Amino acid sequence: MVGDGAGQNGSYVMARGGEGPYICHGRNRRNRSLMAQTPNLSHCAGLVRDFDRDRFMTALFAPPDRREALMALYAFNVEIARIRESVREPMAGLIRLQWWRDTFTAAEQGRKIDRHPVALPLVETIRERGLSFDALETILTAREVDLESFGPGDLAAVESYAENTSGILSRLALGILGSEDDGALRAAHLVGTAWALIGQARAVPFHLSMGRLTLPEDVLVGAKSSGAEMLAGQAPPSAIAAGVKALGERAAELLGAARRLPVAREALPGLLLGILADCHLAVLRRCGWNPFDPRVSLPRHRPLRLAWARWRGRF
């Protein structure tokens, strides 16, 4: 969704910042080996396959001529989401984010950019599909929160972060798919936001291991605890469960709102994360909203369920 220490049943490969981990488990090693041998994957597709398998799976349902563009967009997300765990000091992370800003500024001004294996195909995608550089800037600004030492004050702050990262990313994906009617864009924003909230809930163990707070302070205080107690390992399980439940229930509300909107079939590959979100929500509920339960960290890619949903026009 979350880093090292996924528990006795598996080990985390990486953390996707606000969205949670992609986790490799022993029983999936054969599948990972087969996936690693997949021929003819671009650098971007390989990066997404390895570090954001859920989006990789949904992108496979897009028309062939749109898949590589989606992979470039999702690879960008992987790159910036991994900054927090790849730097020792916040300033180093801010410098990396600034590099992306400078790259987009150069591209927007028609200047030559570095031959970065993700930046170059992403800029080509932006130009070909007419995507918004401003939207990418919003994502970069939101990602600065990953480098902060304090947690969100309330649920609205968590949701704002989710909207400005995964929510905008999902809207950009619809731009690539050529489905930009108001209903579809709003649905994508809601699904993407819900996906990030669920990822935050599932990623609590990893974020704590990095000294990062992602549960809303007001919910923790209402449950007779605090973010400081969480960092010290002194928060009661009931308080942590209350914070996770707040994120999960809000995500469920957003998914329900998205499904009430009119959406064309061509938008579905950008919305199929909603199917996987339901799977993770069901597990969190069964686990009593305990993010430390080993079942929470299990991957749930569900390719057959995705295919069935795609065929039925559901998300």
Side-chain angles (χ1 to χ4, degrees):
M1 285 96 92
V2 178
D4 298 329
Q8 62 183 357
N9 294 326
S11 59
Y12 292 101
V13 171
M14 58 79 66
R16 287 187 279 130
E19 299 171 55
Y22 172 65
I23 306 162
C24 291
H25 291 265
R27 70 181 186 180
N28 293 322
R29 287 174 186 164
R30 180 174 179 274
N31 288 339
R32 284 188 284 129
S33 177
L34 290 174
M35 291 291 284
Q37 299 172 16
T38 304
N40 301 323
L41 280 184
S42 67
H43 175 85
C44 289
L47 195 64
V48 179
R49 176 201 62 190
D50 291 341
F51 295 110
D52 192 351
R53 191 70 59 86
D54 294 319
R55 282 195 174 94
F56 179 82
M57 294 298 298
T58 62
L60 297 180
F61 292 92
D65 64 337
R66 306 297 173 99
R67 289 175 195 160
E68 197 55 44
L70 285 174
M71 295 300 180
L73 177 66
Y74 295 158
F76 162 70
N77 185 56
V78 169
E79 287 272 352
I80 61 172
R82 295 173 68 198
I83 289 176
R84 168 66 188 250
E85 60 263 27
S86 64
V87 298
R88 293 185 178 181
E89 299 294 335
M91 181 56 67
L94 292 173
I95 289 172
R96 293 194 184 188
L97 291 173
Q98 186 59 44
W99 180 88
W100 282 100
R101 287 193 177 94
D102 294 342
T103 297
F104 292 146
T105 298
E108 194 170 17
Q109 294 174 353
R111 293 187 280 118
K112 187 177 181 180
I113 66 168
D114 294 343
R115 296 189 63 81
H116 185 278
V118 174
L120 196 60
L122 176 61
V123 167
E124 291 175 354
T125 294
I126 294 168
R127 289 169 172 166
E128 291 175 1
R129 304 296 177 185
L131 302 184
S132 168
F133 282 103
D134 289 342
L136 294 167
E137 166 61 28
T138 299
I139 294 175
L140 291 172
T141 299
R143 282 292 180 183
E144 293 178 1
V145 173
D146 295 346
L147 302 167
E148 295 175 351
S149 58
F150 54 88
D154 51 30
L155 181 59
V158 184
E159 186 170 339
S160 176
Y161 171 84
E163 288 180 341
N164 290 322
T165 53
S166 184
I168 290 181
L169 192 78
S170 292
R171 290 176 68 98
L172 290 170
L174 256 63
I176 291 172
L177 293 167
S179 180
E180 297 187 271
D181 60 276
D182 291 341
L185 287 173
R186 179 59 181 159
H189 194 83
L190 292 169
V191 169
T193 301
W195 180 251
L197 291 175
I198 294 167
Q200 290 275 39
R202 298 178 65 224
V204 165
F206 177 62
H207 288 155
L208 284 178
S209 75
M210 296 179 65
R212 183 181 172 202
L213 294 169
T214 53
L215 296 182
E217 181 73 16
D218 64 338
V219 176
L220 294 174
V221 171
K224 311 301 182 184
S225 186
S226 67
E229 286 189 353
M230 280 193 67
L231 286 178
Q234 299 173 349
S238 59
I240 297 175
V244 171
K245 182 179 181 181
L247 268 60
E249 291 187 339
R250 180 55 180 158
E253 291 175 1
L254 296 176
L255 290 170
R259 288 165 178 148
R260 290 191 290 272
L261 294 168
V263 173
R265 292 188 69 90
E266 59 264 24
L268 287 175
L271 301 171
L272 287 175
L273 284 177
I275 300 298
L276 303 180
D278 283 344
C279 297
H280 291 305
L281 276 176
V283 173
L284 282 167
R285 290 192 182 98
R286 287 199 297 270
C287 296
W289 305 103
N290 174 16
F292 295 94
D293 190 302
R295 292 173 292 178
V296 171
S297 65
L298 291 173
R300 290 177 166 75
H301 309 310
R302 300 288 195 271
L304 293 180
R305 185 171 296 187
L306 291 174
W308 178 241
R310 177 73 173 87
W311 185 78
R312 297 180 66 203
R314 304 289 179 84
F315 63 92

